[in-house]
Amino acid sequence: MRKWNSAFAALAASYISVVLVIVLLLCSAFYLYFSNHYKEELQGRNRLILDNTARTLEASVLQRVQQIYLEVSLNQRTALRMLPDASLPANLSKLSSLQESLNMQVSNHSDLIQAVHLYAPRQHLLLSSLYGLKFRADQQAGAAYWMDWVNGMNLNSRNSLWTEARFVPDDIVSSIPGGSGSQLITYVHSYPFQSPGAASELLIAIDLKESALRAILQNMMPARYQSSFIATPSGGILAGSNPDAAAQADTYAASIMNALTSPETSGNMSQEIGGSTYVISYQDLPSTGWKLFSAAPANLFYEKWLVVQRVILSLCLLALLVGICLSGILAKLNYSPLKRLLRTIKDLYGPVPEVPGPALNEFGIIDSAFLRLNDKVTTLEETLAASSPHVRQNMILNLLQASPAPGSVSGDPAFLGLSPEHRHYCCLLLNTRGACARMSLSGLQAAMSGMTGELEAIRLHGSRILAEELPDKQTVVIISAREASGTLLEQLSERITAAAEQQFQLNIQLSQGCWVDAVSLLHTSYAEAQTLMKYAYFLPESRVLKDRELLKKEQSLDEIPQPVLMRFKDKLQTRQQDETLAALEQLISVMREGSYPADYCHFVLANTVFMYSDYLKSIRYTPSATGHLDLYNEYIALPDIRQLEEWFAASIATFIAETQKRNSERAISTIEAAKAYIGEHLSEDLSLDAVSAKVFISPKYLSKLFKEELGITYTDYITGIRMEEARRLIENNNMSIEQIAGTVGYATTPYFIKRFKEIYGCTPGNYLRTMNTLPPQAEISMG
């Protein structure tokens, strides 16, 4: 055979294919998992950095600026109203004090602001911490540096405004180009607070240093964010981590507009900028409408992720190499048994015959050998199928069926040993289900096999006996006789039950079918025996079921009276053990003595068990012994109705005892909790409703517990506790009567005095005077 057509090559190829698939799946899984997980982690970390930076900007800069406005507007109300007033020239000294206050604000926040300005639009009057008092301020030198926010407020329908960043020189009146100065952002707010900018009497403007924003960006944003800055809704740059951030506005213009138009308050996006991919991140500054904006090269942003990719690829390649090596080893190990098997086949069958077509490999040779072996096994199975025990069993089952299944075994009854002289036939049915639960499987099989042999060994005059085990763990006995004899059935039934009890320790029940006069009618006798056997469950004391009155019950349409059915449920809910068991006994008695079909009675019993189970579940009862409820499986395992009654009695007794114990423990625990709460809250509301809510029971039930467990009413208990505490406080003589009344929970002193007199026979004052006049020994005896 060709080398590539050998079994070794097929094994190696299959193992390598499996390894390739597994490695590819693992590689894909690792890539997808780590890709999504790591990118989400990077984006989450990025959002956290931006969110922390935004919070810092809000708290350290923007809110401080707004706080300065509030301090100025609230602390200088009288002085602020002078600026729009016509009597201003008479109050110049007060204006000087106001300017000093503005200078003080600037001095206190010199790291943040450059100046504070007050501007009266109607009077065109400016009072500045930096420029002093200016009349006709709109025509003064340097007016351009404050008229931008003045004009902005005139067109603003809101009460505040943040300006764009702009350069303001130190000397605003100098016309020399260049010079020193600062990048400033002005926050303007109207005064009074709610007035819109166009209708404002006074404008309060605070010049914010752009350097304060830049310092926070430089400290908070990581080094990989090459460009971080704050953008206004119009797309302008206010401040950045680099001093030349405004020069980058054109570079990131498209990214800024995408971020500004995004409905999200924060996010990330990738964008091509200058031929390179950048990760763009943004975060809202809610108090101003600005956006915190950052850009980082994608290769730098995902630098660690690229390392993870290389590690995953390296691990997958290593796994692939190891898998290929293991595939070769496994293929060699698995090929060795094939070689030995092939050698054995050649020794048994000789050389493989030549067949047209491709040459067979080792698997083809083995398959051909197994086909030949299968032909021999099939022949052997057919021979075994024709053996008498198997045929005999199938023939007996066929006789017991009214309509035999297609393909079932049929034949001459003489094969079963039924003599043509015997013209009458009868079926006996032996119920061994009760023994199944008490014996092991092997022991039961041995007992049933022995009993079957013993039954067929019985010899009665003029009769022949066949015994066969049925699939439903019952045994059928077929009697053939010359005459239909009731005496014969009685003798045989007695011998069967005695033999089962003495030799095999099996307490069985037996049902007798009717006599029929043809083998073909045996199914009628068997069906009658089956019907009688249904009542074995309800008549466990009857070893032989032969009463034909039981057959009439099968045709009955009677139903058990509803009061009898409901009595057990009603008594169970009252948890009265004797009455509940009496109701159950009545129900069982009605089933046994009434004319009700067996299937209907089983249905009623099953419903009773289900009702009992549902009731236990409804009160959340869990047996302490087993820890779970499995009533239906316990019920179906019971062999007869007497054991069912005993099982019900034991289960109900256990349930009622455990429930009573649980209720008693719960009552004591509830009383103790209520008493503890009352003792700690004497001065508060101790009404029945209030305390019952604290211990999580109903007021009515709490009142009942106090009466049953303590022998007094809830009200009497509260009064006694309060009066005892009042007496102790009076004896200490540290508080007034009014204070003592409030301490023990009485809202009015007269009512407290009245209740105290009812309990102790005197008023609190008389009691206190009595205590003061008694000698020490008498005080001790009274206490």
Side-chain angles (χ1 to χ4, degrees):
M1 66 184 69
R2 296 178 181 178
K3 183 180 296 185
W4 295 107
N5 193 34
S6 66
F8 180 82
L11 286 172
S14 62
Y15 285 137
I16 291 174
S17 299
V18 171
V19 168
L20 285 173
V21 171
I22 293 175
V23 170
L24 287 175
L25 289 175
L26 289 176
C27 183
S28 301
F30 283 147
Y31 180 85
L32 292 174
Y33 174 79
F34 285 105
S35 174
N36 295 331
H37 181 74
Y38 195 77
K39 287 182 179 180
E40 288 177 1
E41 181 180 351
L42 285 175
Q43 292 174 0
R45 190 182 306 165
N46 181 50
R47 285 193 295 269
L48 182 60
I49 291 171
L50 288 177
D51 185 65
N52 289 338
T53 305
R55 290 176 185 272
T56 303
L57 287 170
E58 288 279 351
S60 301
V61 177
L62 304 178
Q63 291 180 7
R64 280 181 62 191
V65 171
Q66 294 170 350
Q67 183 65 32
I68 293 170
Y69 161 78
L70 291 175
E71 291 176 2
V72 172
S73 61
L74 294 176
N75 297 337
Q76 303 293 333
R77 289 184 182 178
T78 304
L80 292 178
R81 288 177 181 150
M82 292 188 304
L83 288 177
D85 195 2
S87 60
L88 178 63
N91 296 288
L92 292 179
S93 60
K94 293 183 179 180
L95 287 180
S96 177
S97 175
L98 178 58
Q99 184 179 10
E100 289 178 4
S101 175
L102 298 181
N103 288 331
M104 184 65 68
Q105 288 288 349
V106 174
S107 176
N108 292 339
H109 304 281
S110 58
D111 62 322
L112 184 65
I113 64 174
Q114 181 78 11
V116 179
H117 314 289
L118 304 178
Y119 184 81
R122 296 185 182 87
Q123 288 76 21
H124 305 289
L125 182 66
L126 174 71
L127 178 63
S128 172
S129 63
L130 188 62
Y131 307 128
L133 181 62
K134 291 186 178 294
F135 295 93
R136 307 291 298 173
D138 57 334
Q139 300 176 10
Q140 291 282 340
Y145 298 109
W146 57 75
M147 290 309 296
D148 56 342
W149 50 263
V150 171
N151 294 330
M153 285 297 287
N154 287 334
L155 300 175
N156 190 13
S157 59
R158 298 184 301 168
N159 58 4
S160 64
L161 172 70
W162 287 91
T163 68
E164 300 281 344
R166 66 201 189 283
F167 179 82
V168 178
D170 292 340
D171 185 4
I172 62 174
V173 299
S174 175
S175 59
I176 301 174
S180 60
S182 303
Q183 287 285 342
L184 300 179
I185 304 163
T186 302
Y187 172 71
V188 193
H189 201 292
S190 62
Y191 183 85
F193 185 86
Q194 298 294 341
S195 61
S200 174
E201 296 179 4
L202 185 67
L203 300 179
I204 301 177
I206 303 170
D207 287 338
L208 169 65
K209 295 178 181 179
E210 182 266 349
S211 58
L213 298 174
R214 186 188 322 125
I216 292 176
L217 292 179
Q218 290 174 345
N219 291 332
M220 298 290 293
M221 299 300 290
R224 70 170 180 269
Y225 295 101
Q226 296 180 355
S227 300
S228 299
F229 43 84
I230 300 172
T232 63
S234 62
I237 303 299
L238 288 178
S241 55
N242 298 322
D244 60 342
Q248 299 176 336
D250 294 336
T251 304
Y252 300 106
S255 302
I256 293 173
M257 293 311 298
N258 289 337
L260 291 174
T261 56
S262 172
E264 303 293 335
T265 59
S266 63
N268 297 299
M269 56 183 160
S270 297
Q271 196 158 357
E272 292 287 334
I273 300 176
S276 301
T277 303
Y278 279 74
V279 175
I280 308 300
S281 305
Y282 57 91
Q283 173 74 40
D284 274 357
L285 296 173
S287 65
T288 61
W290 300 341
K291 277 191 184 288
L292 178 60
F293 183 93
S294 67
N299 58 351
L300 181 62
F301 189 84
Y302 297 117
E303 184 178 13
K304 293 183 179 179
W305 164 233
L306 297 177
V307 175
V308 173
Q309 284 181 320
R310 296 189 185 97
V311 171
I312 292 174
L313 181 60
S314 302
L315 290 176
C316 290
L317 291 175
L318 178 61
L320 184 60
L321 291 176
V322 173
I324 291 174
C325 295
L326 290 177
S327 298
I329 295 172
L330 290 174
K332 187 173 182 179
L333 291 175
N334 288 327
Y335 184 69
S336 298
L338 287 177
K339 288 181 66 176
R340 291 195 297 270
L341 181 59
L342 187 63
R343 193 180 300 115
T344 302
I345 291 173
K346 289 182 178 179
D347 293 339
L348 292 174
Y349 292 98
V352 180
E354 294 290 336
V355 294
L360 295 176
N361 61 7
E362 294 87 342
F363 290 120
I365 296 172
I366 294 171
D367 183 66
S368 177
F370 272 105
L371 288 175
R372 284 183 281 175
L373 180 62
N374 182 64
D375 292 338
K376 294 183 178 181
V377 171
T378 302
T379 303
L380 180 60
E381 288 177 347
E382 292 174 353
T383 302
L384 293 175
S387 61
S388 61
H390 182 73
V391 174
R392 178 179 182 273
Q393 183 183 37
N394 279 274
M395 289 184 66
I396 290 176
L397 293 176
N398 187 30
L399 288 175
L400 299 179
Q401 296 174 359
S403 300
S408 59
V409 178
S410 59
D412 187 359
F415 179 80
L416 299 175
L418 299 177
S419 173
E421 299 177 0
H422 298 163
R423 301 296 180 89
H424 298 276
Y425 305 90
C426 182
C427 281
L428 303 181
L429 192 61
L430 280 62
N431 181 15
T432 57
R433 292 175 183 171
C436 296
R438 300 189 298 271
M439 299 181 63
S440 64
L441 181 61
S442 58
L444 181 63
Q445 288 177 345
M448 294 304 299
S449 177
M451 189 172 69
T452 302
E454 288 290 331
L455 290 175
E456 293 197 347
I458 296 175
R459 292 291 182 263
L460 295 175
H461 180 68
S463 64
R464 174 78 169 88
I465 297 175
L466 297 178
E468 188 65 38
E469 294 181 44
L470 299 178
D472 58 352
K473 298 181 182 179
Q474 292 183 338
T475 300
V476 64
V477 177
I478 300 175
I479 306 172
S480 63
R482 294 188 181 93
E483 296 179 358
S485 172
T487 304
L488 177 64
L489 290 182
E490 293 295 330
Q491 292 176 355
L492 184 59
S493 299
E494 183 177 352
R495 292 186 63 174
I496 290 174
T497 54
E501 185 173 359
Q502 294 174 5
Q503 298 184 29
F504 305 103
Q505 289 74 47
L506 294 176
N507 294 322
I508 65 171
Q509 286 182 284
L510 181 149
S511 62
Q512 298 177 355
C514 60
W515 286 98
V516 294
D517 54 5
V519 174
S520 60
L521 298 177
L522 262 177
H523 62 86
T524 304
S525 179
Y526 175 68
E528 189 171 302
Q530 279 186 314
T531 302
L532 290 173
M533 188 57 70
K534 290 182 181 180
Y535 295 89
Y537 184 89
F538 301 94
L539 302 170
E541 68 276 6
S542 299
R543 290 299 177 192
V544 179
L545 299 169
K546 58 183 179 179
D547 187 1
R548 293 304 182 259
E549 293 296 321
L550 296 176
L551 299 176
K552 297 180 180 179
K553 291 186 177 183
E554 287 298 291
Q555 309 301 323
S556 174
L557 298 178
D558 294 344
E559 294 184 359
I560 298 175
Q562 195 67 21
V564 176
L565 295 175
M566 295 303 297
R567 186 183 176 201
F568 174 77
K569 180 179 180 181
D570 295 338
K571 297 301 180 182
L572 178 64
Q573 292 177 347
T574 63
R575 302 185 189 179
Q576 298 178 11
Q577 181 176 343
D578 294 337
E579 295 185 11
T580 303
L581 295 180
L584 177 65
E585 184 178 1
Q586 180 188 14
L587 176 62
I588 292 175
S589 177
V590 168
M591 287 183 184
R592 286 164 51 85
E593 298 172 5
S595 58
Y596 307 108
D599 291 337
Y600 170 74
C601 293
H602 278 295
F603 173 78
V604 171
L605 287 177
N607 279 348
T608 304
V609 173
F610 281 130
M611 179 272 296
Y612 179 49
S613 176
D614 290 341
Y615 173 71
L616 296 186
K617 291 177 181 177
S618 68
I619 63 171
R620 300 181 179 178
Y621 168 73
T622 302
S624 58
T626 61
H628 65 281
L629 288 172
D630 193 11
L631 298 181
Y632 181 72
N633 286 331
E634 292 178 18
Y635 154 70
I636 61 177
L638 298 173
D640 59 65
I641 200 166
R642 289 303 180 195
Q643 294 194 31
L644 171 70
E645 189 173 6
E646 294 173 2
W647 169 76
F648 252 123
S651 177
I652 291 171
T654 302
F655 151 67
I656 292 177
E658 291 185 0
T659 303
Q660 291 176 347
K661 180 180 178 182
R662 182 181 69 179
N663 291 341
S664 177
E665 293 174 351
R666 181 182 178 190
I668 295 173
S669 174
T670 302
I671 288 285
E672 293 301 322
K675 289 167 67 177
Y677 179 82
I678 291 167
E680 295 173 359
H681 301 83
L682 276 179
S683 62
E684 301 176 12
D685 178 18
L686 294 181
S687 64
L688 193 59
D689 290 338
V691 176
S692 64
K694 296 297 181 180
V695 295
F696 308 107
I697 61 174
S698 68
K700 184 177 180 181
Y701 184 54
L702 180 61
S703 177
K704 179 182 177 183
L705 288 181
F706 266 84
K707 187 65 177 177
E708 292 178 352
E709 299 294 332
L710 301 181
I712 60 174
T713 65
Y714 175 81
T715 303
D716 290 343
Y717 177 81
I718 294 296
T719 302
I721 292 295
R722 281 176 164 166
M723 289 302 147
E724 183 67 24
E725 178 64 12
R727 186 176 67 83
R728 186 186 67 79
L729 294 174
I730 292 172
E731 291 175 359
N732 290 340
N733 199 17
N734 294 328
M735 301 171 65
S736 66
I737 300 301
E738 291 78 6
Q739 291 174 331
I740 291 174
T743 301
V744 298
Y746 287 94
T748 61
T749 304
Y751 183 68
F752 164 68
I753 294 173
K754 176 184 177 183
R755 296 296 292 162
F756 189 91
K757 186 175 181 180
E758 290 175 357
I759 299 298
Y760 295 109
C762 63
T763 65
N766 292 335
Y767 184 84
L768 179 60
R769 285 191 291 274
T770 302
M771 295 299 300
N772 291 335
T773 58
L774 287 176
Q777 294 80 358
E779 291 186 23
I780 293 173
S781 64
M782 288 186 69

